[in-house]
């Protein structure tokens, strides 16, 4: 588990958000392993909030969709999200593992 830092603007104010987060399934630290490894390090310039109802059932509900990012070996990682436990109304399961995205607590 680590910490997610988000810098955003709110009106005329620049805000830094911090929250506990995890990335990947915990079985590898290789950022090039799609759907298993943690997100590649870097600055994600495109962060789009949306309500996700398509694709993997692991990542549903409100998410922040991130831009694609290359890992050190050049593999392009796509389908990158910051998400919580899932659909609104589900109970936090206390685990930060996720299929290659970033998972945050919804508590």
């Amino acid at each position: 588990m680590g910490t997610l830092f988000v810098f955003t603007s709110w009106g005329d104010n620049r805000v830094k958000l911090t929250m506990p987060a995890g990335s990947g399934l915990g079985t590898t630290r290789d950022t090039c392993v799609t759907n298993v490894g943690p997100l590649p390090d870097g600055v994600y310039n495109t962060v789009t909030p949306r309500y996700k109802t398509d694709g993997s059932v692991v990542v549903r509900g409100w998410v922040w969709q991130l831009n694609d990012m290359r890992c050190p070996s050049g593999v392009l990682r796509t389908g990158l999200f910051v998400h919580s436990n899932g659909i609104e109304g589900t109970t936090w399961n206390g685990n930060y593992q996720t299929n290659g995205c970033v998972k945050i607590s919804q508590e």
Side-chain angles (χ1 to χ4, degrees), residues 6-95:
V6 178
F7 296 90
T8 187
S9 295
W10 213 291
D12 292 333
N13 301 312
R14 188 150 165 84
V15 179
K16 176 184 176 184
L17 306 171
T18 60
M19 59 197 83
S23 183
L25 291 176
T27 56
T28 181
R29 297 186 61 78
D30 185 347
T31 60
C32 295
V33 181
T34 303
N35 294 327
V36 177
L39 262 65
D41 288 339
V43 175
Y44 290 82
N45 293 316
T46 305
V47 180
T48 307
R50 72 178 181 103
Y51 194 81
K52 187 174 179 304
T53 58
D54 58 323
S56 170
V57 296
V58 174
V59 182
R60 292 288 172 98
W62 282 105
V63 301
W64 291 332
Q65 185 166 0
L66 306 174
N67 56 274
D68 298 345
M69 181 72 76
R70 291 200 184 277
C71 68
S73 74
V75 171
L76 182 64
R77 293 283 305 275
T78 62
L80 305 176
F81 300 94
V82 176
H83 65 93
S84 65
N85 218 38
I87 298 174
E88 187 176 334
T90 60
T91 304
W92 171 246
N93 66 9
N95 121 23

